[in-house]
Amino acid sequence: MRLKRPKLFTAITLATLASAMFATGARGLDAQPSDDSVLEGFQKTQGDDAFQWWNALIKGSILPQPHFVSFDLNTILIDTLNHSPRILGVSNRASMALEQVVQQDAAFDAMMLFETNAGHTNDPVGNTLTTGGPPRSIQDSFSASAGIRRTSRDGTTVDLSQELGTLNSNSLFFSPTDQGNSRLSLSLSRPLLARGGQVYTERLLTNAQIESGISWQEMRRDVEKRIAEVMIAYWELYQSRCHFLQQQKLIERGVEIERVIQGRCDFDSSRIERTKTRGRIARRVDQVIEAEAQVRRQQARLAMLVGSEALAEAESRVEMIPTDLPLAEPFVYDLRSAVLVGLKKRPEVRAAAGQLESAALALRISRNQLLPQLDAVIDGYLAGLNGNYAIFRSFSDQFSNLQPGISAGLQYELPRGNRFARSRNREAMFLYRQRAEELREAIQLTRAEIESAVINVQTAIDQQQSKREMVLTATAEEEILTQRYLLLGGDGSRVGLVLENLLDAQQRRADAERAWVSTQVQYLVSLIELQRAMGNLLVHESIETVRDTCDNQVNLFRISESEHPLPTQPNDYDNSRELIETSEMIDVESAKPVDRFDSSKNTQPQTQSSTVQSPSVGGALHETGLIETIVERGGPQ
């Protein structure tokens, strides 16, 4: 049966009581409008961010897990650098490439040689002139030699050896008997055409240096990718927690409306209004369950990306609470400056340039092999000989007499047609052209990614104001409709249009709040993607890559900004045209070994020059990881 419209005095009295009950029990309404004007309160919020009520709750525990851990972005990045299997794996790969450089450079180290030989021969004689009468030739010998052999960087091979020995024979022509001999030998060999010159001799070393540089850039690429994933996962966890809180608040506002309707069930609320409210609340509860599951999924993803075994094992029973709040200050990036920084620092571009450098070296070597092989060989020696096994006297005589023996010659070799060398040269030219096209493609891809990232940043900046206005207007609309419903009640019809509008306004406010948080997070994500597209993420996040010069161990540390001040704008970087004006690619005509460990290129620091610092949850510096800050629920935060 439809209720009759109450008298004016009775309606005002009941509405006042309902309004008081709603104000005392409404835990979800963070800003009640004044009695004078609802729009007055809305105008006051335009000058600040007071509408972000969730910021006061987001740093606390919101899940029913027995333990929680609070952390900031700096702490999670330090734990990632220390525990991530991906980062540790690629750093070891870079160390292996550096060891290849040491191995190839060791080919020019001098080699110490030592050899001994003792022999006894007993052969029949077929010619009396061999022994002078005895039917068998019997000879005893002993020799010991020591020397040094070294190949210089211009291709010259030097072999210096000293031999001492004894020799005795039953031959009648053997004189003096019981010989002690000494021989100092020097041999020089150098290629003059093919396989000659420093470029060819150091080809393996130069190629190892180039490959180590490529491996270093690949390590930077993988580390930047993992750091970007961790940072994005951190802000997505913050976003999921905000959405969860917003959805809970939406349920609370719906429950308060249901409580008001229940209180008016004998006055002016209809059955359809109660049914609609319960249906909306049930739908919102379902959304809260999904929001909580999303928070747990984001926690699991963040724990996986960090890579800490202790954190991964404790993740199911630990609530992870990010404490940093997103910043809304706009950073305007000039596209041209961003592209120049990307061409200079993007690991993919520098790796492609290294591949082209390696191809240029191979082309240079193949041109050298087109020449005929012509080697100069020089041998010289000093010798001494005495009887009675006077070895040391013979050793002295070889220097006192100074009567050297010497020989010199040339060795020439050229295959007929030289087809193999010609084919290798054409193959090297094709490889060089391929690497050049790959570098051009890497530059184009970098330019496109940076342009897209700059557009995303600008879009996020432009959307922030509109999303903020959406939140403020949706909040004001809900508050107006709420006050209207508390004062005047429903329309008394079987449809419940007034309540429907109020519930829709609550949903629009929650959607606007979700969109505002998503826009803030999307802005930070777009900044992260822009820094990664420019190849500048490690520098921007103060992550230093250090190579130990003793054992080539590669480590990554995060240093404080006071020790390593960093620019925040691409325009702050000096010499942004360096890659374009002074290419790192090896010249095809005059290829020379390149020092791949030049610290001025900011690719391979030689020594650790900074102190590792890790902020704790409260902001103080500490040396422990994230898992050690886990506390039980109810303990101090």
Side-chain angles (χ1 to χ4, degrees):
M1 179 176 180
R2 184 175 180 180
L3 295 175
K4 295 181 179 180
R5 181 68 61 183
K7 294 181 180 180
L8 179 61
F9 177 77
T10 306
I12 293 176
T13 303
L14 292 176
T16 303
L17 294 175
S19 178
M21 178 182 66
F22 183 85
T24 56
R27 294 169 294 172
L29 293 176
D30 55 294
Q32 291 292 342
S34 63
D35 295 336
D36 298 334
S37 173
V38 175
L39 293 178
E40 182 180 357
F42 164 64
Q43 294 174 352
K44 291 181 180 180
T45 60
Q46 288 184 329
D48 53 27
D49 292 335
F51 66 92
Q52 302 184 76
W53 52 265
W54 54 86
N55 284 343
L57 304 175
I58 197 65
K59 296 182 181 181
S61 178
I62 62 175
L63 297 179
Q65 289 171 299
H67 301 84
F68 67 88
V69 55
S70 299
F71 54 90
D72 58 7
L73 185 58
N74 187 56
T75 302
I76 207 71
L77 289 181
I78 291 177
D79 274 28
T80 302
L81 294 175
N82 292 334
H83 300 291
S84 173
R86 172 72 60 83
I87 293 178
L88 296 178
V90 297
S91 63
N92 288 328
R93 185 177 63 193
S95 298
M96 292 168 57
L98 294 173
E99 291 297 338
Q100 291 292 327
V101 177
V102 177
Q103 295 170 19
Q104 295 300 331
D105 190 61
F108 301 101
D109 294 343
M111 298 180 61
M112 303 297 296
L113 306 175
F114 184 76
E115 181 181 0
T116 60
N117 183 33
H120 172 78
T121 61
N122 190 339
D123 299 323
V125 176
N127 189 340
T128 57
L129 295 178
T130 303
T131 61
R136 302 185 69 87
S137 174
I138 302 174
Q139 185 173 306
D140 295 316
S141 63
F142 174 80
S143 65
S145 63
I148 183 172
R149 180 184 300 160
R150 183 178 182 271
T151 300
S152 65
R153 297 182 183 272
D154 61 359
T156 302
T157 302
V158 181
D159 192 343
L160 177 65
S161 63
Q162 173 68 59
E163 181 180 359
L164 300 174
T166 61
L167 180 63
N168 194 17
S169 175
N170 66 339
S171 174
L172 300 180
F173 305 113
F174 189 77
S175 177
T177 59
D178 302 330
Q179 295 179 1
N181 54 72
S182 172
R183 187 182 184 92
L184 176 64
S185 302
L186 175 64
S187 175
L188 300 177
S189 175
R190 178 174 181 176
L192 302 178
L193 295 178
R195 303 179 183 178
Q198 184 175 358
V199 173
Y200 183 90
T201 306
E202 292 187 337
R203 67 192 185 282
L204 298 179
L205 172 61
T206 305
N207 189 70
Q209 291 174 337
I210 296 173
E211 291 296 329
S212 68
I214 295 173
S215 178
W216 190 273
Q217 297 303 324
E218 291 175 349
M219 179 194 69
R220 287 187 57 237
R221 178 199 62 194
D222 294 341
V223 172
E224 282 193 345
K225 182 179 179 181
R226 177 48 55 94
I227 292 298
E229 291 174 344
V230 170
M231 296 176 68
I232 292 174
Y234 178 90
W235 292 118
E236 287 180 347
L237 175 59
Y238 167 84
Q239 173 181 278
S240 299
R241 288 171 59 84
C242 289
H243 290 172
F244 178 70
L245 285 176
Q246 291 162 354
Q247 198 64 35
Q248 281 187 325
K249 189 70 69 174
L250 179 60
I251 290 180
E252 293 177 3
R253 294 198 294 267
V255 169
E256 295 303 332
I257 293 297
E258 182 185 26
R259 190 177 304 169
V260 172
I261 293 176
Q262 286 294 118
R264 287 175 145 179
C265 63
D266 295 331
F267 177 56
D268 62 349
S269 64
S270 61
R271 181 179 179 184
I272 187 64
E273 291 178 330
R274 296 192 296 271
T275 303
K276 284 187 175 183
T277 304
R278 287 195 294 268
R280 287 293 186 97
I281 292 175
R283 188 184 308 171
R284 294 171 183 178
V285 170
D286 182 70
Q287 293 173 349
V288 165
I289 295 174
E290 176 59 29
E292 181 180 353
Q294 181 64 20
V295 172
R296 295 179 183 272
R297 284 193 290 267
Q298 290 297 333
Q299 288 188 167
R301 172 172 170 75
L302 182 58
M304 180 273 296
L305 292 174
V306 172
S308 173
E309 292 291 341
L311 183 61
E313 294 175 358
E315 182 273 328
S316 59
R317 54 186 176 85
V318 172
E319 179 182 357
M320 302 172 64
I321 304 176
T323 58
D324 287 338
L325 298 179
L327 300 178
E329 290 81 359
F331 291 92
V332 180
Y333 284 86
D334 177 65
L335 177 59
R336 181 175 178 275
S337 300
V339 170
L340 289 176
V341 173
L343 293 179
K344 177 183 177 182
K345 296 192 173 185
R346 181 71 181 261
E348 287 84 351
V349 174
R350 303 190 71 166
Q355 294 285 359
L356 182 60
E357 187 178 356
S358 178
L361 176 64
L363 181 59
R364 174 67 173 172
I365 297 304
S366 68
R367 289 181 177 178
N368 176 274
Q369 292 176 336
L370 290 174
L371 301 174
Q373 183 173 348
L374 179 63
D375 298 342
V377 179
I378 300 177
D379 293 322
Y381 66 91
L382 295 172
L385 178 64
N386 287 279
N388 298 323
Y389 300 122
I391 298 176
F392 296 104
R393 182 178 178 183
S394 299
F395 177 78
S396 177
D397 289 346
Q398 69 181 6
F399 297 105
S400 60
N401 294 331
L402 290 179
Q403 297 180 359
I406 188 170
S407 65
L410 295 175
Q411 296 179 348
Y412 180 85
E413 179 180 338
L414 178 65
R416 183 173 179 269
N418 207 14
R419 293 192 304 156
F420 179 81
R422 294 177 184 272
S423 177
R424 288 291 298 271
N425 179 254
R426 292 192 298 268
E427 178 188 4
M429 177 60 70
F430 293 142
L431 178 62
Y432 182 82
R433 294 173 181 174
Q434 175 189 347
R435 298 306 187 194
E437 295 301 325
E438 291 177 354
L439 175 59
R440 194 160 67 93
E441 181 183 11
I443 292 175
Q444 292 177 352
L445 180 61
T446 298
R447 184 186 301 271
E449 290 185 2
I450 293 176
E451 184 175 0
S452 177
V454 170
I455 293 174
N456 291 338
V457 171
Q458 188 59 46
T459 302
I461 293 175
D462 295 339
Q463 285 183 339
Q464 284 197 7
Q465 182 62 29
S466 60
K467 297 296 184 183
R468 186 175 184 275
E469 291 296 328
M470 288 174 57
V471 176
L472 296 176
T473 54
T475 302
E477 178 188 11
E478 183 203 4
E479 292 173 350
I480 292 172
L481 293 178
T482 300
Q483 289 296 325
R484 191 264 184 202
Y485 187 82
L486 294 178
L487 292 175
L488 303 179
D491 54 4
S493 65
R494 297 180 182 273
V495 182
L497 295 179
V498 175
L499 177 64
E500 187 77 18
N501 291 337
L502 175 57
L503 295 177
D504 289 342
Q506 290 181 344
Q507 187 64 48
R508 284 192 294 271
R509 175 183 175 180
D511 293 341
E513 292 174 343
R514 288 170 57 89
W516 165 251
V517 172
S518 298
T519 301
Q520 286 185 307
V521 172
Q522 183 57 40
Y523 172 62
L524 295 176
V525 171
S526 62
L527 285 179
I528 295 171
E529 291 295 341
L530 176 58
Q531 294 293 337
R532 191 192 65 82
M534 293 191 302
N536 196 48
L537 184 60
L538 297 184
V539 176
H540 188 269
E541 295 302 322
S542 304
I543 296 176
E544 187 78 13
T545 308
V546 179
R547 178 178 71 93
D548 192 335
T549 56
C550 296
D551 58 3
N552 286 324
Q553 178 67 41
V554 177
N555 298 302
L556 292 99
F557 302 104
R558 196 161 195 259
I559 61 178
S560 62
E561 293 185 0
S562 60
E563 296 172 348
H564 190 66
L566 300 173
T568 58
Q569 302 289 337
N571 295 331
D572 294 338
Y573 294 98
D574 296 330
N575 303 323
S576 57
R577 297 176 177 267
E578 180 179 339
L579 182 64
I580 298 177
E581 296 179 354
T582 57
S583 174
E584 294 183 5
M585 297 180 293
I586 192 170
D587 182 45
V588 178
E589 298 297 334
S590 59
K592 294 181 180 180
V594 179
D595 185 7
R596 308 297 298 183
F597 307 127
D598 186 2
S599 59
S600 63
K601 298 179 182 178
N602 294 325
T603 56
Q604 292 176 237
Q606 297 295 318
T607 58
Q608 180 180 348
S609 59
S610 59
T611 304
V612 183
Q613 295 181 339
S614 171
S616 64
V617 177
L621 299 177
H622 72 100
E623 298 178 354
T624 58
L626 174 62
I627 192 62
E628 298 184 20
T629 64
I630 295 178
V631 297
E632 295 184 359
R633 185 170 301 280
Q637 293 192 28

